[in-house]
Amino acid sequence: MFTGEAYTKDAALRLLASEGEDLLRLYQRADEVRKEKMGDEVFIRGIIEFSNICARNCHYCGIRAGNKGVSRYAMDADEILETAYSMVGTEKTTVVLQSGETPAFTDEELGEIIRRIKGETGLSVTLSVGSRPLETYRYWHDCGMDRYLLRFETSDPELFRRLRPGSTLEERLRCLYDLKAAGVQTGSGFMIGLPGETLQVLADNILLCRTLDLDMIGIGPFIPHPDTPLGDEKNAYDDNREMFFKAIAVLRIFNPDAHIPATTAFDAVFPDEGRNRVLKVGGNIFMPNNTPLKYRKDYLLYPGKPCITESAEVCTQCAVMRIQAMGRKIGTGPGHSIKKRT
Ligand code: SAH
Ligand code: SF4
């Protein structure tokens, strides 16, 4: 999409179909937009996968409640605090707390953890713990939560209903509007190539991100997990995996001033280079794994997840080297949304 064109579904579809010279131009344009709006800084956020206990049964996810082969864990508050403390003074200025939709913590317990991390370490705090009521989001925001990640997963209501039993796309979108209403910097996104996804749906996904006017947008390839109902399925773009990067580039062009992370699933599909390529076609965030090593093998949303045996320090240094080797800078400061909200 180039100067003067409208952000329409047709434009998105046309860009997703780019090949040869056009594809190179698409990538170049996405990189220019990233540079123009977000600059050369890449922010590093440390993710702590603090519990794999989940009450839901999403068909795609390796830690779904129905997967009895998973050894379940929940870190306690002290261990989470200690892990967050280990980021102080490093390149990581945000801690991302992610878990299943777990009943392992009450809202108050999580609120206290947010309050302590925020008050004692000064790190920015992002949560990613699933669909919750508005009051909970408000309460956590009062405790100091800066941001929240909640993917809508797919913009196709029928596909959503099938793959996330017991919930609807409408409810998921309601949560996103609630987060915004609560004054939380809001991140969402989707999986690329869910079985049944068409290019029309992919274009709609990108458009929905734009309509939602998000602060952060995380997208990554769907990777079938053998112990799930989608275990025998393939990614919809299995024969055309370039589509994963095209999706990032079009997403950047349609959402010039959103933070776009190079998500871990890209490295699972393209070992050691997937995330670098994302940073070259629109991405500006890197999220190394900061979960204590002993838990990592039990937080497998999908197979082939990298960084299962490397320590947090090694993962961070690896991120720093990858970013610097690309001629980009490490982000300093909190790395908040650049969107002005009133
Ligand atoms: N329980 C929370 C957060 C943890 S799941 C939630 O569901 O929002 C984080 C993300 O992992 C999900 O939003 C989904 O997009 C992604 N994910 C789950 N299973 C996956 C798979 N098989 N392949 C790729 N991404 C997957
Ligand atoms: Fe639970 Fe999230 Fe996995 Fe769904 S995607 S089963 S809510 S951890």
Side-chain angles (χ1 to χ4, degrees), residues 83-151:
T83 311
Y85 262 104
S86 72
M87 294 185 205
V88 177
T90 71
E91 293 81 358
K92 292 167 280 195
T93 55
T94 294
V95 50
V96 181
L97 297 175
Q98 191 180 78
S99 74
E101 284 193 18
T102 167
F105 290 86
T106 63
D107 292 352
E108 288 70 27
E109 283 167 338
L110 264 182
E112 186 56 21
I113 291 169
I114 296 167
R115 212 188 288 280
R116 288 192 58 194
I117 295 180
K118 194 70 192 193
E120 296 174 26
T121 70
L123 296 164
S124 302
V125 179
T126 302
L127 253 69
S128 175
V129 300
S131 304
R132 305 288 171 123
L134 171 63
E135 307 78 66
T136 305
Y137 294 144
R138 281 225 165 97
Y139 167 65
W140 287 339
H141 184 242
D142 289 345
C143 293
M145 175 175 82
D146 300 284
R147 314 185 196 122
Y148 203 94
L149 303 175
L150 185 85
R151 290 184 177 178

Side-chain angles (χ1 to χ4, degrees), residues 49-90:
E49 298 148 339
F50 68 92
S51 169
N52 66 356
I53 300 171
C54 190
R56 302 208 77 94
N57 256 314
C58 305
H59 283 197
Y60 38 81
C61 179
I63 63 168
R64 64 201 297 274
N67 186 358
K68 301 297 176 209
V70 176
S71 157
R72 303 284 167 176
Y73 70 88
M75 291 168 64
D76 65 26
D78 286 344
E79 204 176 7
I80 297 173
L81 254 299
E82 198 182 306
T83 311
Y85 262 104
S86 72
M87 294 185 205
V88 177
T90 71

Side-chain angles (χ1 to χ4, degrees), residues 172-222:
R172 195 76 165 171
L173 296 180
R174 178 78 263 147
C175 290
L176 291 170
Y177 287 115
D178 285 349
L179 282 162
K180 293 180 85 175
V184 179
Q185 296 170 47
T186 302
S188 190
F190 55 87
M191 278 174 279
I192 315 165
L194 283 168
E197 176 185 309
T198 58
L199 274 178
Q200 299 282 328
V201 174
L202 178 55
D204 283 336
N205 289 348
I206 293 171
L207 253 76
L208 180 54
C209 290
R210 185 175 164 84
T211 307
L212 291 169
D213 186 20
L214 298 164
D215 297 296
M216 298 96 67
I217 309 172
I219 71 173
F222 157 70

Side-chain angles (χ1 to χ4, degrees), residues 18-34:
S18 306
E19 296 290 347
E21 291 277 301
D22 286 347
L23 183 54
L24 294 180
R25 280 208 317 144
L26 168 66
Y27 288 159
Q28 197 184 350
R29 181 73 194 126
D31 198 41
E32 282 165 10
V33 172
R34 184 272 308 156

